[in-house]
Amino acid sequence: MPAEHVGPPPVPPHPPRTVLAATAVGKRYDGIPVLAEAGITLRAGEVHALVGENGAGKSTLVKILSGVVRPDTGRVLLDGREVAFATSRQASAAGVALVSQELAIFGDLSVAENLFPHGLPRRAGLTSNAEAERRARPVLDELGLRLRLDTRAGDLDLADRQLLEICRALLTEPRVLILDEPTSALPKEAVDRLAAVLLRTRGRGIAVLYISHYLEEVLRFSQRVTVLRDGRVTLGGAEIATVDLAALVTAMLGEEHAAPEPRAAPAPAPASGPAREPGAAAVVLDSVTVPGRLDRVSLTARRREVVGLAGLQGAGHLTVLEVTGGRARPASGSVRLPGGVAPRSLRQATGHGVAFVPSDRKRYGLMLDRPVWENITSVSWLGLHRGGLLLHRRALVDRAARSARSLRVDGGVHRRTGELSGGNQQKVVFAKWLDTDPSVMLLDDPTRGVDIRARAEMHAVIRALADEGREGRAVLVASTDLSELVELCDRVLVLQRGRIVDELSGERLTQQALSVSMNAGFAG
Amino acid sequence: MTQPVTAEESTADRSHGAGPRGRAWRRRLMRDELGVSLVLVLLVAAAGIAHPAFVHKDNLLSIAQNSSYVGLMAVGMVFALAMREVDLSVGGTYTLCLVVGAVLIRDGTDPWLSLLVTLPLAALLGAFNGLVTTVLEIPSFIVTLGTAMLYRGMALALADGRQISNLPAGNSFFTVLGGTVLSVPTSVWVLLVALIVFTVVLTRTRFGAQVRAIGSNPEAARFSGLPITRTRIKALALTGLMSGVAGALALAFFIAGDPTVGQGYELTAIAACIIGGTSLAGGRGSVPGAVFGSLILSVVAAALVFFQVPINWTTFATGAVILLAVALDSALRRSRGVGLKQGAAAVVSRLFRRSA
Ligand SMILES: Nc1ncnc2c1ncn2[C@@H]1O[C@H](COP(=O)(O)OP(=O)(O)OP(=O)(O)O)[C@@H](O)[C@H]1O
Ligand SMILES: [Mg+2]
């Protein structure tokens, strides 16, 4: 187990040297400025964090640094010399590797082919799997990826695919490693391993830039931090010792938001609030077994209740969501939705009031080439057949606009969804399920990539969904972010190896306790 | 609908609103079909300047008539392609319907009543494609590669490999469907009606939206509870039906059932769709574009005759036109939002960038 405490950074062998820098970068999309006079410097042997609200321009800035996007104005300097990478392959040849926010995995290719996208290593002129294994295995081990190299990459879950992309970047032996929200889909233990890897790369003089919405993590792992707000730098490369959480939040949101406002930060630990009476049972699992994934799991989720599901990767907590949402079928045991129906397919479950918000929005959540309003109304109109045979565009657009506004999706609902920033795309996935007025919500990392303010607001919406309405709703939520479970849930069920091993609620529901319970029996 | 908390129902905020809808709609229509319609007009104009007889009304109508059979198939094919399926059996369906109709009429069935057999048959053949694709979980490309031969083989067997003639040419079926209405060929009228009806179906109905949503991201569509199987079967049935309509019109026009016609129509129909801006990757389709596309192919074929290009070069020329049209269209699309002038500039620069 990697230690919680990252430890004093080893002194870099040379005085800090700037490797990659961007100065006075400006970028507009459709005439709207996304970056203005933005700049950043990356030094050899540092971990540099980049933070900011959704849509602040973080991804755009790192795309400019790595040659994916051309700036309108400003310069990018590598070792003091101006560069203009024409392709990301050129950037990677120059030692700049980017792991982008929206993963680019070749789903039909093997893990090995994904790790060496420009061709597997050769031996005696022929591609050699043994050679690929020899080169890749140490890097995979470092990040805790226990995979056969011939696994089809499309079969991996989101966390593993994220790690796979990081491995791919590390294998190019970069001098600058840029990670766009690498931890948003990673479970805690993988985050710790990644931190250890980053620490080692620092020692080798590599410059690391990483984007994250988890500010505690930023304070823990990085040496310097840059904050963007509306495309401008509000904190430029500050030494981490000189900032604290409050300073970061102020830089991100502006002075007026510095004080925690009640709406943005709802009272934590809702479980300790006024006693809430859970309603009728809405989801009942009785001795459900899915071979290799769930072992005789029984649970009841009531209306007006937010039930968390926690576990290490592969513990089965996500399978609980899948059997409830009709995505997986139990081999034995029964699953009951409201009205006593058993979920048979995603479509049938949706028809019975189940909303399943997947964590992999690009793959399962969104039509990136369609406008936002089409995405938001797609389940209710196209899946549930609400709203007639003919297109009532105005009604659909207005409805979508209302829910986009309530979740503060950036820009209008006519924008192509792929143009939205990552966090805003996540809000669209959430909005499309809100639009169905479900009676059971299944959430898998519902706030992945969403900034702290919007995250608090989404939590308030989820809580309200559970509590409001005539009978209330049942919410089942899994999250790689333990603090999310603590803030959101009335009680959390902990799974290990397909079985429920613990239930935490009230006073006992803390991140510490969750972590201990998830890992219990594995240590030593 | 529940939109709890945080919803500030401020009517002042128009940034989320619908915007200038009418204009946006017209602009999109222009943008999507601009490229193909431009190519079509330019081709006709160029041929007309060289050979004024080319733009004579009769010649243009006969070109339209020639394009109408593939045009109808292309209209159906748009639905298959827009949902990431493909139907290679449209040529076979066309021929089978043609032959079945001819056999029925030869054996004494009222020609009009034969439509009650051939059209449902065509839809069934299409639905069968969809069903097999779903049940066997095999791409429709492969399924219809098989059924194309199945259907054509049935036509050949049914007709005993020979053309079926001796049909009652005087029957109103042949004079009306194979003739003209208001001096325009009936098949062109049918194509026009299909163009309007299916443009509406694809862009303004739930079924059309389902087709495009599934094509855009099938996995997300499954997660969103869309009726994928049903939509696929419906879409492929529609593609089949349009081939059947084309077959019936061809039977009425040729007054004969030849089991060897319609070879390669499936690829021509797909080419027409692609020229018209329908994406093979799904999610996007244009019915007017497909009709323009089939007109372009038909114009090229006719022009080659006018220019007395040796018959052996026509295939080559058709291929060149397909590539040019697609290049022009994609360049226009890339420069969307900009004016025609910049669009043309973009085309030119794209054409020459490679060689620079
Ligand atoms: N290809 C594009 N076309 C149009 N607008 C774009 C495009 N890419 C990004 N934008 C816009 O630029 C702005 C900044 O986006 P960016 O992805 O850089 O945000 P971000 O800081 O990474 O946010 P997040 O935390 O949500 O990932 C957003 O308003 C986004 O909509
Ligand atoms: Mg981003």
Side-chain angles (χ1 to χ4, degrees):
Chain A
M1 276 300 291
E4 266 288 84
H5 180 61
V6 169
V11 182
H14 305 290
R17 183 171 52 83
T18 298
V19 190
L20 186 66
T23 54
V25 168
K27 177 75 191 172
R28 285 165 176 269
Y29 279 115
D30 304 326
I32 300 165
V34 169
L35 287 175
E37 295 288 310
I40 193 165
T41 60
L42 305 181
R43 297 180 189 151
E46 76 166 346
V47 175
H48 193 130
L50 178 59
V51 300
E53 278 194 291
N54 292 137
K58 305 179 296 296
S59 296
T60 308
L61 181 59
V62 299
K63 281 183 198 158
I64 286 172
L65 281 173
S66 54
V68 179
V69 165
R70 288 282 182 88
D72 298 339
T73 58
R75 306 192 301 159
V76 177
L77 305 166
L78 182 66
D79 297 323
R81 271 196 304 278
E82 180 160 2
V83 285
F85 303 122
T87 61
S88 53
R89 193 174 178 180
Q90 269 183 24
S92 111
V96 180
L98 168 70
V99 174
S100 60
Q101 184 171 12
E102 301 309 329
L103 299 181
I105 290 281
F106 303 101
D108 287 323
L109 300 186
S110 68
V111 166
E113 286 162 317
N114 270 283
L115 286 172
F116 301 98
H118 299 305
L120 287 173
R122 284 155 196 275
R123 204 185 263 167
L126 295 174
T127 60
S128 152
N129 286 322
E131 181 67 14
E133 178 84 33
R134 195 183 64 76
R135 285 209 224 159
R137 189 52 68 189
V139 185
L140 291 171
D141 284 344
E142 241 184 351
L143 284 168
L145 258 183
R146 286 187 208 88
L147 292 175
R148 289 172 51 102
L149 287 191
D150 56 5
T151 315
R152 194 176 155 274
D155 294 338
L156 304 181
D157 66 16
L158 188 61
D160 282 352
R161 270 185 283 150
Q162 176 75 64
L163 290 173
L164 181 61
E165 282 229 23
I166 297 173
C167 286
R168 177 201 286 169
L170 285 170
L171 280 170
T172 65
E173 295 181 1
R175 297 169 55 219
V176 181
L177 176 63
I178 304 178
L179 307 171
D180 194 346
E181 296 196 25
T183 57
S184 69
L186 291 185
K188 182 169 171 303
E189 61 279 9
V191 173
D192 289 337
R193 271 192 297 265
L194 177 62
V197 170
L198 295 187
L199 196 67
R200 269 196 292 277
T201 59
R202 274 193 66 204
R204 296 204 296 265
I206 296 173
V208 177
L209 174 63
Y210 96 108
I211 298 177
S212 177
H213 290 292
Y214 301 121
L215 299 183
E216 289 91 353
E217 185 187 285
V218 165
L219 291 173
R220 219 151 33 103
F221 297 159
S222 54
Q223 280 74 56
R224 292 199 302 149
V225 58
T226 293
V227 181
L228 279 179
R229 182 165 89 233
D230 295 335
R232 294 177 182 277
V233 174
T234 49
L235 196 65
E239 297 289 337
I240 212 76
T242 66
V243 294
D244 58 6
L245 208 65
L248 281 184
V249 172
T250 308
M252 282 171 64
L253 307 180
E255 290 295 341
E256 63 271 30
H257 290 287
E261 45 172 328
R263 195 169 59 95
S272 60
R276 232 188 314 264
E277 273 303 303
V283 174
V284 181
L285 271 66
D286 184 22
S287 196
V288 169
T289 298
V290 179
R293 300 207 281 163
L294 282 186
D295 184 12
R296 283 164 286 155
V297 165
S298 301
L299 67 86
T300 303
R302 302 178 172 281
R303 289 168 186 270
R304 286 194 251 286
E305 195 180 34
V306 180
V307 179
L309 296 163
L312 299 177
Q313 215 183 343
H317 50 307
L318 298 179
T319 312
V320 171
L321 296 184
E322 292 186 358
V323 294
T324 312
R327 187 167 188 232
R329 293 268 213 113
S332 65
S334 73
V335 183
R336 292 278 174 265
L337 297 174
V341 289
R344 287 195 315 271
S345 67
L346 284 162
R347 174 167 167 71
Q348 182 252 11
T350 309
H352 283 96
V354 176
F356 193 166
V357 179
S359 65
D360 194 344
R361 55 177 172 253
K362 182 178 172 187
R363 185 162 168 191
Y364 301 121
L366 292 170
M367 303 182 277
L368 291 175
D369 57 343
R370 314 299 312 174
V372 170
W373 72 265
E374 284 190 23
N375 273 290
I376 293 183
T377 56
S378 65
V379 191
S380 54
W381 189 41
L382 302 180
L384 296 172
H385 291 189
R386 293 186 196 148
L389 284 172
L390 291 180
L391 170 67
H392 294 288
R393 197 183 143 103
R394 178 194 295 261
L396 294 183
V397 166
D398 285 351
R399 214 173 67 207
R402 228 176 303 130
S403 71
R405 195 161 44 223
S406 79
L407 291 171
R408 278 214 258 169
V409 178
D410 242 7
V413 292
H414 292 286
R415 291 183 69 184
R416 209 171 54 84
T417 312
E419 288 173 6
L420 263 54
S421 79
N424 282 300
Q425 290 181 13
Q426 185 67 32
K427 295 181 206 165
V428 173
V429 180
F430 191 68
K432 94 175 193 186
W433 286 105
L434 275 193
D435 189 52
T436 65
D437 190 13
S439 55
V440 172
M441 286 206 100
L442 309 175
L443 311 174
D444 181 6
D445 259 342
T447 60
R448 181 166 87 87
V450 170
D451 67 40
I452 45 169
R453 181 153 52 139
R455 177 175 178 272
E457 287 171 359
M458 275 169 80
H459 284 179
V461 171
I462 294 168
R463 189 70 247 181
L465 266 175
D467 297 339
E468 287 172 5
R470 206 158 37 85
E471 308 172 289
R473 300 173 180 81
V475 178
L476 279 167
V477 50
S479 180
T480 53
D481 173 9
L482 298 185
S483 69
E484 172 154 72
L485 293 178
V486 172
E487 282 165 34
L488 199 54
C489 300
D490 297 311
R491 57 192 174 101
V492 177
L493 303 171
V494 180
L495 284 89
Q496 275 186 14
R497 300 198 177 100
R499 316 184 74 146
I500 295 178
V501 294
D502 204 354
E503 174 171 338
L504 300 172
S505 62
E507 303 282 272
R508 286 187 62 220
L509 181 53
T510 63
Q511 285 189 56
Q512 179 70 23
L514 270 175
S515 190
V516 167
S517 181
M518 284 158 59
N519 287 290
F522 285 101
Chain B
M1 268 291 302
T2 347
Q3 289 307 335
V5 296
T6 71
E8 319 146 45
E9 298 296 318
S10 77
T11 43
D13 183 358
R14 293 309 308 164
S15 71
H16 284 282
R21 236 179 328 257
R23 233 176 337 117
W25 190 77
R26 214 172 314 137
R27 206 163 6 148
R28 205 180 49 209
L29 187 81
M30 282 309 290
R31 185 176 79 221
D32 283 355
E33 278 83 27
L34 183 66
V36 258
S37 40
L38 210 67
V39 172
L40 181 60
V41 171
L42 286 178
L43 276 176
V44 173
I49 290 167
H51 288 275
F54 190 85
V55 287
H56 188 272
K57 194 181 108 234
D58 289 346
N59 189 46
L60 291 182
L61 281 178
S62 113
I63 289 174
Q65 145 100 29
N66 285 336
S67 82
S68 60
Y69 309 113
V70 167
L72 284 165
M73 288 182 223
V75 166
M77 186 74 79
V78 168
F79 285 80
L81 295 179
M83 72 174 288
R84 279 198 205 180
E85 306 287 345
V86 67
D87 186 350
L88 296 177
S89 73
V90 289
T93 306
Y94 166 84
T95 313
L96 181 55
C97 290
L98 187 90
V99 168
V100 167
V103 168
L104 286 174
I105 296 169
R106 181 194 63 193
D107 294 349
T109 311
D110 181 86
W112 287 104
L113 289 182
S114 75
L115 290 180
L116 290 181
V117 177
T118 54
L119 297 187
L121 171 71
L124 270 177
L125 296 175
F128 180 71
N129 288 333
L131 203 67
V132 175
T133 303
T134 302
V135 172
L136 298 185
E137 293 182 29
I138 296 175
S140 52
F141 182 92
I142 296 168
V143 170
T144 56
L145 197 62
T147 55
M149 300 177 85
L150 221 62
Y151 301 163
R152 183 171 296 283
M154 279 158 76
L156 280 166
L158 207 61
D160 220 359
R162 286 189 304 269
Q163 175 166 322
I164 297 167
S165 42
N166 293 334
L167 302 177
N171 188 289
S172 61
F173 175 85
F174 296 102
T175 54
V176 174
L177 287 189
T180 60
V181 174
L182 303 176
S183 66
V184 171
T186 311
S187 62
V188 176
W189 284 115
V190 175
L191 180 64
L192 192 69
V193 171
L195 165 69
I196 294 166
V197 169
F198 289 106
T199 300
V200 171
V201 170
L202 185 65
T203 61
R204 320 291 278 176
T205 68
R206 181 165 67 205
F207 168 65
Q210 284 170 332
V211 163
R212 286 180 288 120
I214 293 168
S216 171
N217 186 347
E219 286 194 278
R222 208 166 65 81
F223 246 87
S224 308
L226 265 67
I228 298 193
T229 303
R230 204 190 315 161
T231 310
R232 181 188 294 126
I233 291 176
K234 275 202 246 174
L236 289 179
L238 194 153
T239 311
L241 175 67
M242 296 316 286
S243 319
V245 171
L249 287 168
L251 172 62
F253 183 74
F254 295 114
I255 322 182
D258 185 342
T260 60
V261 297
Q263 310 263 15
Y265 274 22
E266 51 280 341
L267 292 184
T268 318
I270 292 171
C273 292
I274 294 171
I275 291 173
T278 294
S279 163
L280 280 183
R284 198 158 56 97
S286 163
V287 173
V291 172
F292 288 144
S294 64
L295 277 169
I296 287 173
L297 291 174
S298 190
V299 165
V300 171
L304 293 174
V305 174
F306 259 78
F307 286 99
Q308 292 172 339
V309 174
I311 192 85
N312 291 331
W313 281 96
T314 52
T315 308
F316 174 88
T318 313
V321 168
I322 293 178
L323 287 179
L324 273 175
V326 174
L328 178 80
D329 188 60
S330 88
L332 278 178
R333 223 169 268 285
R334 241 164 262 261
S335 58
R336 75 195 149 118
V338 302
L340 200 57
K341 213 154 88 189
Q342 289 99 315
V347 176
V348 174
S349 77
R350 277 183 64 75
L351 285 178
F352 289 98
R353 179 137 29 100
R354 289 277 146 157
S355 52

